Amino acid sequence: MNGEYTKINDFLVTVFHEVLRTEEASLKTKAFKNLSMREMHVIAAVCELEKTKTNTASNIAMTQNITSGTLATAINTLEKKGYVRREQDMRDKRVVRILATDKGKAANEIHAMFHHQLVLAIMSALSPQELAVFVNGLAAVQKFFKEQKLWSGTAGFIIQPEQ
Amino acid sequence: MNGEYTKINDFLVTVFHEVLRTEEASLKTKAFKNLSMREMHVIAAVCELEKTKTNTASNIAMTQNITSGTLATAINTLEKKGYVRREQDMRDKRVVRILATDKGKAANEIHAMFHHQLVLAIMSALSPQELAVFVNGLAAVQKFFKEQKLWSGTAGFIIQPEQ
DNA sequence: GGATTTATCTTGAACATCAAAATTTTCTTG
DNA sequence: CAAGAAAATTTTGATGTTCAAGATAAATCC
């Protein structure tokens, strides 16, 4: 087999999970220890979507790829813990807007700082020239996934039916 | 902010989860639909560790970063489903070796095929020159994580105490 | 204004996970 | 070599996550 192939595959199986685990571990060591990964990401989504006034329950659930029922329970506990609060939309009283409390915003800041440090760490592992091409590569992969969004969620794409 | 910084960060928050989700979705569409991601990875680990005769329960748990109790229950269900079997080590009768059945090996093959297709897809998204540098970048990042393994699992590293 | 659609929440079931206790086997040491 | 310590694994009990399906409430559409 080809060396590039092997390196990419290794990266996928090894580093991917390592990064996720590192992220999770960092959560447990900081203030706000009582947040799961899921909860942290919900808070981050709330903060992000608040900016564009798209912070409705169903939209948050969609961006996180979870059902609205799952989100509802997550919001229940986050509300109990004081990180977010609900607010009924005045125009359409069916929709519930989720808002981050000050505590939620603080947690988001700290989590963003983790991402910041991680990205800086990755950048520092590459020379400026490497970095430029590397980033292009990432963008290409990202574009690829964006355009083929069909894959995930729908009937098995990547692995074609046996012919 | 710097464009490269933003692209790396975007990649981490967007594409990472996309890839994982795609992997999970592909699992559900193929034969062996009754396997969770965790179970699939346990089977993969069993197949891998069998090669080096290091397929003991505790070692598998370690490579998967789960407790031995969690692994025991996972093995219970995988055994019930017919993907793995237990075998007492003859030298040290405390240790249990986990072996993949033919069905387990078949599932592993199919899962490996998913990885294969994913890597090919990524490779095809880049020009040969881009690919070469991209792979170097991945290797640098991987090396970085390998050497700094301390981070995950130990007291909060990446996010330094506020000075 | 009644039927339908939409947004959300609740409930119940299935898993996953961990910590701690229990079990079995091996090692150590006097 | 026997008693106690250590090691590998499994069981148990508790907690958390997730989804599907049903329930509720509000808006929209003839």
Side-chain angles (χ1 to χ4, degrees), chain A residues 57-58 69 72 76 86 94-96:
Chain A
S58 50
N76 283 345
R86 287 181 228 244
R94 288 170 307 179
V95 345
V96 172

Side-chain angles (χ1 to χ4, degrees), chain A residues 8-20:
Chain A
I8 293 178
N9 200 34
D10 265 22
F11 184 83
L12 287 178
V13 305
T14 305
V15 180
F16 252 62
H17 294 94
E18 191 70 17
V19 169
L20 293 175

Side-chain angles (χ1 to χ4, degrees), chain A:
Chain A
M1 260 302 152
N2 175 331
E4 288 167 340
Y5 175 91
T6 305
K7 281 183 188 167
I8 293 178
N9 200 34
D10 265 22
F11 184 83
L12 287 178
V13 305
T14 305
V15 180
F16 252 62
H17 294 94
E18 191 70 17
V19 169
L20 293 175
R21 230 160 46 74
T22 303
E23 185 173 6
E24 190 152 20
S26 107
L27 257 192
K28 295 296 164 231
T29 65
K30 309 310 318 172
F32 314 119
K33 285 189 212 299
N34 63 340
L35 286 174
S36 71
M37 210 61 197
R38 165 70 67 205
E39 291 173 326
M40 189 64 250
H41 284 152
V42 167
I43 293 172
V46 168
C47 291
E48 185 61 29
L49 298 180
E50 241 180 292
K51 296 180 193 165
T52 53
K53 309 277 189 199
T54 52
N55 54 331
T56 67
S58 50
N59 197 38
I60 293 165
M62 194 182 313
T63 67
Q64 300 297 108
N65 292 298
I66 54 179
T67 65
S68 53
T70 300
L71 182 77
T73 64
I75 297 296
N76 283 345
T77 69
L78 281 175
E79 205 173 26
K80 228 170 280 168
K81 293 177 183 172
Y83 291 99
V84 302
R85 61 193 174 80
R86 287 181 228 244
E87 197 172 83
Q88 198 176 35
D89 188 287
M90 61 221 82
R91 310 244 186 101
D92 184 340
K93 286 196 283 195
R94 288 170 307 179
V95 345
V96 172
R97 298 197 168 270
I98 316 292
L99 300 154
T101 62
D102 287 346
K103 187 175 173 187
K105 284 174 189 150
N108 188 46
E109 291 287 318
I110 290 192
H111 183 245
M113 201 157 73
F114 165 82
H115 273 275
H116 182 71
Q117 304 257 11
L118 178 59
V119 173
L120 290 186
I122 289 175
M123 289 175 75
S124 75
L126 302 176
S127 76
Q129 299 92 329
E130 284 175 327
L131 185 61
V133 187
F134 181 66
V135 164
N136 274 351
L138 293 187
V141 172
Q142 188 164 25
K143 180 157 169 280
F144 180 81
F145 263 89
K146 196 166 287 174
E147 287 168 357
Q148 314 276 340
K149 205 177 272 175
L150 310 168
W151 295 15
S152 42
T154 63
F157 166 97
I158 285 200
I159 298 181
Q160 302 288 349
E162 304 77 1
Q163 63 272 5

Side-chain angles (χ1 to χ4, degrees), chain B residues 57-58 68 76 86 94-96:
Chain B
S58 50
S68 52
N76 283 346
R86 286 180 227 243
R94 289 171 306 180
V95 343
V96 173

